[in-house]
Amino acid sequence: MDKTTPTNIGVLLEQATQNIASYDRFIDSTKHEQTVHVPNVANAVLFAYEQLRNASENIEDHLLVQRAILRFYKRNLTFAANKKPSGLGSELIIEMTQVEYLQNDSVPVSTISKLDELIQVYYDAFWSIRKQYPKISAQKGEQWILEILSVKSEQLFNNPIRILSFAHFAHAHFTKLIKYEDIIVTDESLDKTDYPTLLYISIHKALLKSDNANVRSGLLDLYTFSPSAIKQFVEFNRKYDKLAALDATTKLSRFISKNGASLRIIRSTFFDNSDHVPADLSNQSKIRSTIRSQIDTEYQNVKRNLNSGIIKSIVFLLITKAIIGVLIEIPYDVIVTGSIVILPLVVNLLFPPTFLAVTALTFKIPGEANKNALTDYIESMLYSGSTQNSPTLKYTESVGNALLFNVLYVAVFIGAFYLVASRLALLDFNLVQGFIFFIFLSTASFLGYRITLQIKELELVSTSQGFIALVRDFLYAPFIFLGKKISYRFGQLNLIAQILDIVIDLPLKTTVKLVRQWMIFLNNKKDELL
């Protein structure tokens, strides 16, 4: 067979990008509709607060809009009593425009009625669940409804055709090659018929960095379940909650991420581009050149993302530490010692961000060998050729002397914490100050490690990070482990974000809304005088 003949995956890529191009042309043809104009009322203040709020949450940038919409619904929808929502579609567009998630005069007026209808459908679904399934807690039903509603609302502003098309493409690729029995070794009650769903969840988590809300919504569309079909809707959400929480899903997500470098390049090359040009695999040399150019672009993007990620993480640490200091550390010092102990306070404030900034100097971007390997691999995915060049997946290798290495790892864990604790004792840290130091050092270590994953996500050929990076990973592995646990718990509770929502978010946005309504009232009164 001719090497330039597209594989089945190559044909699927062409079809997917053709569908995206057709949709883009349709959207272009509807841009003449009247749009919503939002007056500038304290926009600068709202935008500044939104940046502070985002820094406190420390989530992926592409989730910011959906999370902002989720907060809007939590403020404006009541689930304590069945009170018909009114005018929320317009208010949502206004708020998203004021904080600059939406460009002014860019949202068609018809979107208001679409939002109002969407809100009513899901609000009614909540009360149907409460009536038909009284054993399901109101909190769980509210979570299901708000997660899906926030994603569906964002999709009215940012159509997900590229994301969902890529998820389908990646699913087809892995389905053809994956061996589940070499990944999922578990005693969990898991039927093999659930494997395709697990794969879809894992692709979203690993390659698209989706949260549960986005994956839940994507699967709901895939299965074409309607919120008005309450029995199906409830069974689906229960099943999703079960599958998403399985260790098997975590293992599969880790495997997909490990084998995702080529898929990430394909996504950025063919699915994320906005020039409306579908993939044409008839010219292999042009495709190869395009892929290599995109890899260079991704290398540059990683450099920028590393820098912005470090800055964002440092801001997150400083904000969180300042609040913890005011609420816990300083009051404890005053109560116990009668004064503020400066040295531990300064060390706890400055050391974790400084450590994170210094850690960034050890990051190393992949080189030419990785670029060549990625290009060859993607070509083997898209074009038929010799079986020697067919795509393969990397599975976890078994390690000899696993017990010995586990014992060594535990010893390093204990030794690292003892070493740091002994140094803190020399600086006269008390238990509270030492505890706070460990929390923030571990969080900084995990944030730094998570940022380096952006490099690994583009690696097909492992990049040697150097001796210093090796020592760094060895010594700080225990802190990374602890930081992951803390970040997971913090992500679930996120007390800082909740404090901001109660103390600033609700009063600020309520006040701005009243001011805006008052201005409209005055303008209407002036019109009546004419």
Side-chain angles (χ1 to χ4, degrees):
M1 185 177 290
D2 186 358
K3 186 180 178 182
T4 59
T5 303
T7 60
N8 291 336
I9 290 296
V11 172
L12 181 61
L13 175 64
E14 289 183 318
Q15 294 172 346
T17 54
Q18 287 169 3
N19 292 337
I20 293 172
S22 297
Y23 175 80
D24 286 341
R25 288 193 293 270
F26 168 74
I27 292 299
D28 287 343
S29 68
T30 62
K31 286 186 176 179
H32 304 294
E33 185 181 341
Q34 182 182 357
T35 57
V36 179
H37 178 76
V38 178
N40 188 339
V41 179
N43 285 18
V45 175
L46 290 172
F47 175 76
Y49 167 73
E50 192 67 19
Q51 303 313 301
L52 172 66
R53 181 60 175 72
N54 291 342
S56 71
E57 195 150 20
N58 198 41
I59 59 174
E60 299 287 341
D61 288 347
H62 70 275
L63 297 176
L64 293 176
V65 177
Q66 179 251 320
R67 293 294 179 87
I69 294 173
L70 180 63
R71 297 200 306 272
F72 171 87
Y73 284 134
K74 284 183 176 180
R75 287 198 319 272
N76 292 280
L77 278 176
T78 174
F79 293 95
N82 192 348
K83 183 179 179 182
K84 181 179 175 64
S86 177
L88 291 187
S90 176
E91 288 297 327
L92 176 60
I93 294 173
I94 291 171
E95 183 169 314
M96 293 301 103
T97 303
Q98 288 178 322
V99 296
E100 298 187 18
Y101 286 133
L102 298 176
Q103 185 178 350
N104 206 353
D105 301 307
S106 67
V107 180
V109 172
S110 60
T111 305
I112 297 176
S113 58
K114 292 177 182 177
L115 280 168
D116 287 335
E117 181 181 355
L118 185 70
I119 294 167
Q120 190 63 58
V121 167
Y122 279 93
Y123 192 70
D124 289 344
F126 170 82
W127 291 105
S128 296
I129 293 172
R130 296 295 297 143
K131 180 179 179 181
Q132 298 180 35
Y133 294 87
K135 292 185 178 180
I136 296 177
S137 68
Q139 183 180 12
K140 176 59 68 175
E142 182 179 336
Q143 176 196 345
W144 291 346
I145 293 302
L146 288 180
E147 281 190 357
I148 300 172
L149 177 58
S150 63
V151 175
K152 297 297 182 189
S153 299
E154 185 197 0
Q155 289 176 353
L156 289 176
F157 306 133
N158 305 306
N159 192 280
I161 185 171
R162 284 177 167 78
I163 292 174
L164 299 182
S165 296
F166 172 75
H168 176 66
F169 173 83
H171 194 280
H173 168 69
F174 283 110
T175 297
K176 179 181 176 182
L177 300 175
I178 199 168
K179 298 176 183 177
Y180 291 102
E181 62 275 10
D182 291 338
I183 307 167
I184 302 174
V185 181
T186 177
D187 295 326
E188 294 171 310
S189 55
L190 180 62
D191 195 287
K192 289 186 177 181
T193 58
D194 292 326
Y195 285 177
T197 304
L198 247 62
L199 178 59
Y200 186 86
I201 295 172
S202 300
I203 286 170
H204 262 274
K205 296 278 189 181
L207 300 183
L208 295 168
K209 304 296 179 64
S210 299
D211 61 0
N212 280 326
N214 283 275
V215 187
R216 193 188 300 272
S217 176
L219 280 172
L220 198 67
D221 288 341
L222 195 63
Y223 295 136
T224 64
F225 289 158
S226 168
S228 58
I230 297 300
K231 182 179 180 181
Q232 277 188 332
F233 186 76
V234 168
E235 289 177 350
F236 161 78
N237 280 288
R238 281 173 164 169
K239 185 67 173 290
Y240 176 80
D241 287 342
K242 174 186 174 183
L243 294 179
L246 293 176
D247 288 339
T249 307
T250 302
K251 293 175 184 176
L252 190 55
S253 297
R254 194 177 297 124
F255 173 82
I256 296 301
S257 183
K258 182 178 180 180
N259 289 276
S262 58
L263 273 298
R264 294 182 180 98
I265 296 299
I266 287 177
R267 179 191 176 188
S268 60
T269 305
F270 300 107
F271 288 90
D272 289 347
N273 67 73
S274 57
D275 55 7
H276 310 285
V277 178
D280 180 8
L281 301 188
S282 62
N283 190 337
Q284 185 174 353
S285 61
K286 182 179 179 181
I287 290 294
R288 182 178 179 86
S289 175
T290 300
I291 291 169
R292 291 182 67 82
S293 176
Q294 186 62 39
I295 293 172
D296 288 334
T297 300
E298 290 304 307
Y299 284 177
Q300 294 300 318
N301 289 340
V302 165
K303 289 181 181 179
R304 286 194 296 270
N305 291 339
L306 289 176
N307 293 332
S308 63
I310 289 294
I311 293 172
K312 185 176 180 181
S313 296
I314 289 174
V315 171
F316 168 75
L317 288 171
L318 290 174
I319 291 174
T320 308
K321 177 59 184 67
I323 294 176
I324 294 296
V326 170
L327 295 180
I328 299 176
E329 198 168 358
I330 292 177
Y332 181 85
D333 286 349
V334 172
I335 293 172
V336 174
T337 67
S339 62
I340 300 175
V341 184
I342 299 298
L343 180 60
L345 186 66
V346 173
V347 170
N348 283 343
L349 178 66
L350 298 181
F351 183 81
T354 303
F355 164 78
L356 187 58
V358 172
T359 300
L361 300 177
T362 66
F363 298 163
K364 186 177 180 181
I365 303 298
E368 191 69 18
N370 187 70
K371 178 180 175 180
N372 293 334
L374 274 173
T375 306
D376 293 342
Y377 188 93
I378 293 172
E379 278 193 304
S380 70
M381 286 176 58
L382 303 181
Y383 293 97
S384 300
S386 66
T387 55
Q388 294 179 348
N389 294 326
S390 59
T392 57
L393 301 179
K394 297 183 290 184
Y395 292 83
T396 301
E397 298 179 9
S398 59
V399 179
N401 298 318
L403 178 60
L404 174 62
F405 290 132
N406 282 326
V407 171
L408 179 60
Y409 181 78
V410 172
V412 171
F413 194 103
I414 297 173
F417 278 92
Y418 174 78
L419 181 64
V420 174
S422 62
R423 295 296 179 271
L424 294 179
L426 292 176
L427 296 175
D428 294 327
F429 274 61
N430 59 41
L431 288 177
V432 171
Q433 295 160 345
F435 179 76
I436 291 174
F437 180 88
F438 273 108
I439 293 296
F440 279 91
L441 176 59
S442 299
T443 302
S445 300
F446 174 68
L447 291 175
Y449 171 74
R450 194 172 66 175
I451 291 170
T452 64
L453 292 181
Q454 297 180 55
I455 298 174
K456 293 185 179 296
E457 287 176 351
L458 293 180
E459 286 185 349
L460 193 61
V461 176
S462 296
T463 301
S464 174
Q465 295 293 324
F467 178 75
I468 295 178
L470 181 64
V471 172
R472 175 202 67 199
D473 293 342
F474 181 76
L475 293 177
Y476 291 105
F479 299 102
I480 293 171
F481 174 82
L482 179 59
K484 180 181 179 181
K485 297 296 182 183
I486 294 170
S487 295
Y488 174 74
R489 296 299 178 189
F490 184 87
Q492 288 188 316
L493 298 175
N494 208 345
L495 294 176
I496 305 303
Q498 292 183 35
I499 291 172
L500 290 174
D501 287 346
I502 295 171
V503 176
I504 301 178
D505 193 284
L506 181 59
L508 173 63
K509 292 180 179 177
T510 300
T511 301
V512 171
K513 179 180 177 180
L514 290 174
V515 170
R516 175 169 50 80
Q517 291 175 340
W518 173 248
M519 292 176 62
I520 294 174
F521 172 79
L522 291 179
N523 286 332
N524 291 338
K525 283 298 182 182
K526 286 193 294 184
D527 291 341
E528 291 175 4
L529 296 177
L530 297 178

